[in-house]
Amino acid sequence: MNAEHELVHQAADFLKHRLPLQPEVALVLGSGLGGLAQRIGDPVVIPYSEVPGFPLSTAPGHAGQFVSGRLAGKNVLCMQGRFHYYEGHEMAAIVRPVRVFKALNCRALILTNAAGGVNWDFSVGDFMLITDHINFMGVNPLRGPNDDAIGPRFCDMTTAYDPALQQTARKTAADMGIALREGVYLGYMGPSFETPAEIRAFRTLGADAVGMSTVPEAIAAAHCGLPVLGLSLITNMAAGMAGKRLCGEEVIEIANARGPVFQQLVEQITAAV
Ligand code: HPA
């Protein structure tokens, strides 16, 4: 057993003892979207600081704790706040929770994030179903010795975002009368926002939205065979598109304003998966 495998299992064993329910669906709540955790019934809260091998989450708008309980008729395990590469964490630590979800036998992972709109057809406040991604972070969480007990050395990414979960998301949004955009999420290392030239380049490359998370977690989920769904809240148009400067506070402000509807959508999707 390699060291990472050991850390994953230590964390999973710790959580197993602390959780009253077997989690079915895992959720990662991005910037300003943590409010969904308040809708969880019979919540059990476990700060990351208590989980063996877990780093602290330092990003603004990220509470840094697991919240487990009942949501939309399902047993859920939520990350209220995630780890980002720009915080200085190792990739292994960023994706460790995904492997823990798999070790706990979760059967689906819903990743949410705040993102900048790159597609000119998008507007601030839009929701986007991630159909694919471009890893522009310059790093891959699977670099290094492969643990065959977790997944294969060369991991197929053809359907990294589970097609059946995507269908569920489309149908749920349609039933709720919520417009759901679709597109390619480009993962950028940050923490600086992109330049306008980078955004033009990313659009040419096929990106519809840009953000600083999600890609490592989706790769780790594909690797360990955990079906993943990705949803972005477009909190701003990307650099150079709106004729104004970008700021992190605006991202949080829009995430808070659109958060309640986004949370309802995620909740209904949770009910349907
Ligand atoms: N760029 C990168 N990450 C983001 C953005 C953006 O414009 N908005 C929210 N997260």
Side-chain angles (χ1 to χ4, degrees):
M1 209 190 263
N2 76 13
E4 185 52 32
H5 199 265
E6 186 104 344
L7 284 168
V8 167
H9 282 274
Q10 269 175 22
D13 286 344
F14 171 86
L15 288 171
K16 238 180 240 168
H17 286 105
R18 291 283 297 268
L19 300 177
L21 305 165
Q22 155 69 44
E24 301 164 273
V25 180
L27 296 119
V28 177
L29 306 176
S31 305
L33 306 171
L36 188 60
Q38 262 96 59
R39 300 171 68 94
I40 294 179
D42 304 324
V44 173
V45 175
I46 304 171
Y48 301 148
S49 57
E50 293 180 16
V51 182
F54 267 56
L56 293 177
S57 146
T58 65
H62 289 247
Q65 57 194 22
F66 285 109
V67 184
S68 186
R70 298 282 296 165
L71 183 74
K74 296 271 161 45
N75 296 343
V76 298
L77 179 55
C78 254
M79 285 186 85
Q80 204 179 10
R82 60 149 62 80
F83 307 117
H84 303 81
Y85 197 58
Y86 68 72
E87 293 174 83
H89 302 301
E90 296 303 324
M91 268 292 158
I94 292 168
V95 302
R96 195 167 297 138
V98 174
R99 293 172 172 159
V100 169
F101 294 144
K102 177 70 180 178
L104 290 171
N105 287 320
C106 293
R107 52 181 181 76
L109 170 62
I110 301 178
L111 298 172
T112 67
N113 60 53
V118 173
N119 186 325
W120 280 112
D121 291 339
F122 289 3
S123 305
V124 170
D126 279 354
F127 305 143
M128 185 188 91
L129 172 67
I130 303 177
T131 55
D132 203 348
H133 76 217
I134 296 173
N135 181 5
F136 211 84
M137 290 186 157
V139 282
N140 190 300
L142 307 183
R143 177 173 174 269
N146 187 62
D147 185 344
D148 294 337
I150 295 179
R153 166 78 294 182
F154 299 107
C155 166
D156 180 45
M157 295 293 290
T158 309
T159 52
Y161 296 86
D162 187 75
L165 289 177
Q166 288 188 51
Q167 257 325 99
T168 302
R170 287 186 188 102
K171 181 171 185 316
T172 305
D175 289 350
M176 294 174 78
I178 292 176
L180 185 60
R181 307 286 200 159
E182 299 195 9
V184 173
Y185 176 95
L186 184 141
Y188 186 78
M189 188 194 298
S192 58
F193 285 115
E194 306 73 28
T195 65
E198 285 169 339
I199 293 302
R200 287 193 298 275
F202 294 164
R203 192 177 303 116
T204 304
L205 289 177
D208 297 291
V210 62
M212 303 175 194
S213 68
T214 302
V215 163
E217 293 129 308
I219 293 172
H223 184 236
C224 69
L226 178 59
V228 69
L229 178 76
L231 293 166
S232 295
L233 166 52
I234 305 298
T235 50
N236 57 284
M237 294 315 287
M241 294 177 70
K244 59 176 186 177
R245 294 164 66 87
L246 303 188
C247 74
E249 289 72 29
E250 191 188 347
V251 168
I252 304 280
E253 204 176 293
I254 299 294
N256 287 338
R258 285 291 281 165
V261 181
F262 194 61
Q263 288 158 24
Q264 279 170 30
L265 174 63
V266 175
E267 188 170 342
Q268 290 311 310
I269 292 172
T270 303
V273 299

